[in-house]
Amino acid sequence: MQVKTILFQNKGVRKALFLSFTYLFLSYLFVGFKTDQLVLLLILNLLYFASSQTRKIFIVCMPYVIFWILFDYMKAFPNYDFNQVSIEELYNAEKNLFGFFSNGHLVTPNEYFIDNTHKILDILSGIFYLSWVPVPILLTIYFLYTKREQAVHLSVAFLLVNLVGFVFYYIYPAAPPWYVAKYGFEFIKNTPGSAAGLIRFDNAFGIRLFQSMYEKSSNVFAAMPSLHSAYPLIALYFAVKNRIIGLSIIIAITAFGIWFCAVYTSHHYILDVLGGILCAIVGIALYEILYQKLFSFRKMINRLCLHLNTA
């Protein structure tokens, strides 16, 4: 029994080393080496090898890791190389649909908030924006210890929603509001990311949290749809579906907070937010259809659930 355990552990170590070095090699080819990659690998390997309980967290969180890696690799294949970036078109659509007069000028909601900020809203914006991925991840871990199969459903649905959003990024590259405010309607390739209105959160506490985050942005021309707006809706769907009333209320408040702050901080237009909401609805519906109608997909999910139970 002891020999078998050692062999199993050695096999697991070899597999982990192979996957780790493969990830580092591909990352080096596509986006270059970064210390963030080593931190990610350290966390994943610790989760996998520390205990059976942490290994379960590793399994249910793998779709989130795949999402992050794919998002990072988008730097190697900028969407503006595949389709023309919408800058003025999206701005005009926003102004026509949601614009209003302020001081005698027709402005978008983003333009209004640039001149009408409040410190409390600046701080709340940072708090809400920091919850965009933690909310579905924490709900996934909650399900891991309460309704284990739902943890798999949620994490895979999250990945599927992102894949839908990524496809749309390449079909319709779009500039965020802060880009128009800073550069106008001219397309500038390789534009660096910007914290935009979230810089006010950094300034309030004398830190570089959002500034450093957005400096690493994979692509600034991926404003439509707003996946920030999609993520809390995914979590809300599964919380409501499983009748977790208290968490559903908290997640709903978080969702509305993120939707408002996305516009308040000039990271997204209202149209982007609506696009993100639609993306979540489409992705969740697609997941449910695939699980109900496609045997191979349902078999894959059920195998993940079984692997989770036996890990």
Side-chain angles (χ1 to χ4, degrees), residues 154-172:
L154 170 55
S155 60
V156 177
F158 177 90
L159 177 59
L160 191 57
V161 169
N162 276 283
L163 293 178
V164 172
F166 291 171
V167 169
F168 202 84
Y169 283 164
Y170 284 90
I171 294 174
Y172 188 75

Side-chain angles (χ1 to χ4, degrees), residues 245-260:
I245 305 302
L247 278 177
S248 297
I249 294 172
I250 294 173
I251 294 170
I253 293 171
T254 302
F256 281 104
I258 289 176
W259 297 343
F260 170 78

Side-chain angles (χ1 to χ4, degrees), residues 25-301:
F25 177 70
L26 292 176
S27 297
Y28 175 77
L29 288 180
F30 289 140
V31 296
F33 174 77
K34 296 178 294 184
T35 54
D36 295 356
Q37 297 157 4
L38 290 178
V39 173
L40 175 62
L41 288 178
L42 177 62
I43 293 172
L44 292 178
N45 280 282
L46 283 174
L47 287 174
Y48 187 79
F49 289 108
S51 69
S52 60
Q53 289 302 312
T54 59
R55 186 170 300 169
K56 289 178 171 61
I57 296 175
F58 169 88
I59 293 170
V60 297
C61 286
M62 275 311 297
Y64 296 102
V65 176
I66 294 171
F67 143 73
W68 184 253
I69 292 173
L70 291 177
F71 183 74
D72 191 35
Y73 285 2
M74 286 174 65
K75 295 174 183 174
F77 311 97
N79 58 349
Y80 52 72
D81 285 343
F82 296 84
N83 278 300
Q84 183 177 352
V85 176
S86 175
I87 304 175
E88 187 172 6
E89 175 189 44
L90 188 57
Y91 169 83
N92 287 334
E94 178 81 3
K95 180 173 280 190
N96 290 334
L97 289 171
F98 301 107
F100 55 88
F101 282 94
S102 177
N103 297 324
H105 298 284
L106 182 65
V107 298
T108 65
N110 307 101
E111 291 170 330
Y112 173 80
F113 285 128
I114 288 175
D115 297 322
N116 295 273
T117 62
H118 194 286
K119 192 166 186 177
I120 293 178
L121 292 179
D122 296 338
I123 294 173
L124 286 175
S125 294
I127 294 172
F128 278 122
Y129 242 55
L130 286 173
S131 69
W132 59 300
V133 169
V135 165
I137 290 179
L138 290 175
L139 183 59
T140 299
I141 295 174
Y142 170 81
F143 280 141
L144 177 62
Y145 295 100
T146 55
K147 299 182 178 183
R148 189 163 290 177
E149 290 185 356
Q150 291 300 312
V152 176
H153 291 310
L154 170 55
S155 60
V156 177
F158 177 90
L159 177 59
L160 191 57
V161 169
N162 276 283
L163 293 178
V164 172
F166 291 171
V167 169
F168 202 84
Y169 283 164
Y170 284 90
I171 294 174
Y172 188 75
W178 64 259
Y179 180 93
V180 174
K182 190 171 183 178
Y183 301 107
F185 300 127
E186 179 187 359
F187 169 67
I188 304 174
K189 193 174 183 179
N190 297 321
T191 302
S194 171
L198 289 170
I199 196 68
R200 297 191 294 269
F201 179 88
D202 283 2
N203 293 338
F205 295 98
I207 58 178
R208 296 183 72 256
L209 176 62
F210 285 106
Q211 184 176 345
S212 61
M213 284 173 57
Y214 280 95
E215 283 175 351
K216 303 172 184 177
S217 176
S218 292
N219 188 356
V220 303
F221 301 110
M224 168 66 86
S226 166
L227 289 178
H228 284 87
S229 302
Y231 298 153
L233 200 57
I234 305 168
L236 181 60
Y237 170 78
F238 280 94
V240 171
K241 182 180 179 181
N242 289 276
R243 299 178 183 178
I244 311 173
I245 305 302
L247 278 177
S248 297
I249 294 172
I250 294 173
I251 294 170
I253 293 171
T254 302
F256 281 104
I258 289 176
W259 297 343
F260 170 78
C261 295
V263 178
Y264 175 75
T265 59
S266 283
H267 277 278
H268 292 284
Y269 295 112
I270 293 177
L271 285 172
D272 301 336
V273 172
L274 294 176
I277 293 171
L278 180 61
C279 182
I281 294 172
V282 170
I284 291 169
L286 181 60
Y287 178 84
E288 295 290 0
I289 292 171
L290 289 174
Y291 186 75
Q292 296 297 328
K293 303 294 185 181
L294 189 61
F295 174 76
S296 58
F297 185 81
R298 183 168 65 254
K299 183 179 179 181
M300 179 193 73
I301 298 300

Side-chain angles (χ1 to χ4, degrees), residues 5-38:
T5 302
I6 293 172
L7 288 174
F8 174 78
Q9 290 176 343
N10 287 341
K11 183 180 178 181
V13 170
R14 290 197 299 271
K15 185 184 294 185
L17 286 173
F18 173 76
L19 292 175
S20 296
F21 281 113
T22 299
Y23 166 65
L24 288 175
F25 177 70
L26 292 176
S27 297
Y28 175 77
L29 288 180
F30 289 140
V31 296
F33 174 77
K34 296 178 294 184
T35 54
D36 295 356
Q37 297 157 4
L38 290 178

